[in-house]
Amino acid sequence: MAACGVLPPADLKPPRLRFSDLRIADLGLNEMRFVLGVDTENPNDVDVPLRNIDFRLDLLGQPFASGAVIDRAVTLPRLGSRTVPVEFTVP
């Protein structure tokens, strides 16, 4: 029964996301690296921990960009907000 305490609440709502602060981190001959600020708002009455967030974006069925949340462990504060930096690469 103790393991049940790690399950998220049944009524957990998704955080609201807004994108801000896009900047070029590196410009090379083969790829561009960007850093994007993702403003998050957690509408839940519990902290929402996030771990090892990676992504790949395909455009028209072809790889377009890949990236990750810079901080490998992020907690969205209960009923609060924070900006989460995301780094991604475009070939």
Side-chain angles (χ1 to χ4, degrees), residues 38-81:
V38 180
D39 298 332
T40 65
E41 186 178 328
N42 180 6
N44 300 288
D45 197 22
V46 296
D47 290 346
V48 176
L50 305 174
R51 303 287 181 267
N52 300 319
I53 305 288
D54 297 317
F55 67 91
R56 189 178 100 187
L57 175 64
D58 291 346
L59 185 62
L60 299 172
Q62 299 296 314
F64 178 73
S66 61
V69 172
I70 293 175
D71 298 324
R72 301 312 287 168
V74 174
T75 299
L76 305 182
R78 68 179 205 74
L79 301 173
S81 61

Side-chain angles (χ1 to χ4, degrees), residues 7-27:
L7 295 176
D11 61 345
L12 191 67
K13 299 175 191 90
R16 292 189 265 300
L17 306 177
R18 213 179 43 182
F19 303 110
S20 64
D21 191 33
L22 176 66
R23 64 183 172 82
I24 296 173
D26 187 39
L27 187 59

Side-chain angles (χ1 to χ4, degrees), residues 22-35 64-67 87-91:
L22 176 66
R23 64 183 172 82
I24 296 173
D26 187 39
L27 187 59
L29 293 175
N30 297 323
E31 64 184 26
M32 293 184 292
R33 242 178 352 106
F34 296 90
V35 174
F64 178 73
S66 61
E87 184 175 70
F88 65 97
T89 303
V90 177

